[in-house]
Amino acid sequence: MRWSVIAIFVLAAILAYSFIAVSLGPIAPLGRLSFVKLENPDMYPGHPHSVLLAQYAEKTGSKCALVLHFAGSSTYNSYEQDTPNSTTQNGVYIIEVAYIDTQGGGSSSLSQINFLDSLKVALFGVPDGRYKYMSDGVVYNSYDAMMSHVYALAKQHGQKGAIPTVYHGTVRTDNPILDPGCGFPLYFQILDKTYGIIPAYVYTITGMIFPYLNSPYRNFELMHSSELQYYYNNGLLNIDYKNSHVNTGKYYGQTSNNTD
């Protein structure tokens, strides 16, 4: 009984410390946005996951939101996203950032996970210089440069207070319940760098639970995950952006510049 009381006290202290630290910080971690891809490209004005993220941000009165990815062929351009019942002038500005793991695929899929490497990252954080970052067509060689870009965009678009932050979470081939999905390692790194390793653990765990409690697409994505993954990997979810009513064309392309 004595040890159980001590354990409860320690857990309560950890949770309280983590909550206070995050409530005073510049990043408001929400967690995972989705389980599988619904359309390609991943995010663009009008995409269901984009609208959902904007709605999450609007609930807190935020004018911006940050979504994290594992880098692919996109240039990860940031953009304005309206919502059906927008209460924020000009909608919500979605800031996109992707990480590039210079030591391989990392945890991009269950078949590529290096568990020893993942354990080291979880215990000690991401080694300096391991990741590079893509945002708005630019490759940032350092974490600080990338975050300076994020904060500058948020300030430019009128953000007050912490930026609601999610990792996209989509999984192309594996089980989306077991695989944390796209952007997860960068989410952990930002929490670790911003708040320290203990709050990073706490909000990583709560972030995994977030879509089960909040996403209206949860059941559809999980019940049809294998079909949606097949459709995506065979090009059947590609939208014809030239004939659509949203501005998605600029989100195609791979040209980028490098910067420190």
Side-chain angles (χ1 to χ4, degrees):
M1 179 65 71
R2 176 185 176 185
W3 288 110
S4 62
V5 171
I6 293 175
I8 292 172
F9 176 80
V10 171
L11 178 60
I14 289 173
L15 294 176
Y17 166 75
S18 299
F19 175 79
I20 293 171
V22 169
S23 67
L24 299 174
I27 295 293
L30 300 182
R32 187 175 189 169
L33 180 62
S34 51
F35 295 101
V36 291
K37 299 173 188 289
L38 295 177
E39 292 179 352
N40 187 45
D42 288 344
M43 297 283 284
Y44 63 82
H47 186 291
H49 292 155
S50 179
V51 174
L52 180 60
L53 176 55
Q55 290 173 329
Y56 288 154
E58 281 194 335
K59 287 180 180 179
T60 65
S62 294
K63 295 185 177 180
C64 295
L66 174 61
V67 59
L68 309 172
H69 304 270
F70 179 83
S73 60
S74 172
T75 50
Y76 300 99
N77 287 286
S78 305
Y79 58 90
E80 297 279 358
Q81 174 62 66
D82 294 326
T83 61
N85 300 305
S86 180
T87 59
T88 305
Q89 186 177 7
N90 298 323
V92 172
Y93 193 72
I94 305 295
I95 303 171
E96 293 202 88
V97 175
Y99 78 100
I100 304 164
D101 191 339
T102 62
Q103 296 185 21
S107 298
S108 60
S109 72
L110 289 176
S111 60
Q112 298 181 35
I113 290 177
N114 181 323
F115 286 99
L116 179 59
D117 176 63
S118 297
L119 178 61
K120 290 180 180 178
V121 168
L123 291 175
F124 306 111
V126 179
D128 290 340
R130 173 165 175 171
Y131 288 174
K132 294 186 178 183
Y133 311 88
M134 166 74 81
S135 182
D136 294 302
V138 175
V139 173
Y140 293 90
N141 293 323
S142 73
Y143 174 88
D144 290 339
M146 177 272 290
M147 290 304 295
S148 292
H149 170 69
V150 169
Y151 291 136
L153 280 179
K155 182 178 180 180
Q156 178 183 341
H157 289 85
Q159 177 65 17
K160 304 294 184 182
I163 307 170
T165 300
V166 299
Y167 61 98
H168 197 197
T170 55
V171 178
R172 293 188 180 191
T173 59
D174 299 310
N175 187 324
I177 296 177
L178 300 177
D179 190 327
C182 175
F184 175 74
L186 178 53
Y187 183 78
F188 181 82
Q189 185 189 32
I190 289 177
L191 293 182
D192 182 25
K193 289 277 192 179
T194 307
Y195 300 114
I197 199 71
I198 292 178
Y201 289 148
V202 171
Y203 279 88
T204 293
I205 293 172
T206 59
M208 291 178 177
I209 300 170
F210 181 80
Y212 290 97
L213 302 178
N214 296 281
S215 175
Y217 303 115
R218 173 199 62 215
N219 292 342
F220 177 77
E221 291 182 22
L222 292 176
M223 291 176 65
H224 300 281
S225 60
S226 59
E227 298 101 304
L228 289 167
Q229 288 170 334
Y230 174 84
Y231 296 154
Y232 174 80
N233 291 316
N234 287 275
L236 301 176
L237 294 183
N238 296 343
I239 68 163
D240 184 356
Y241 64 91
K242 292 181 180 179
N243 294 324
S244 70
H245 298 289
V246 293
N247 182 18
T248 64
K250 69 178 181 179
Y251 301 101
Y252 285 82
Q254 301 182 39
T255 304
S256 63
N257 298 308
N258 283 275
T259 180
D260 291 329

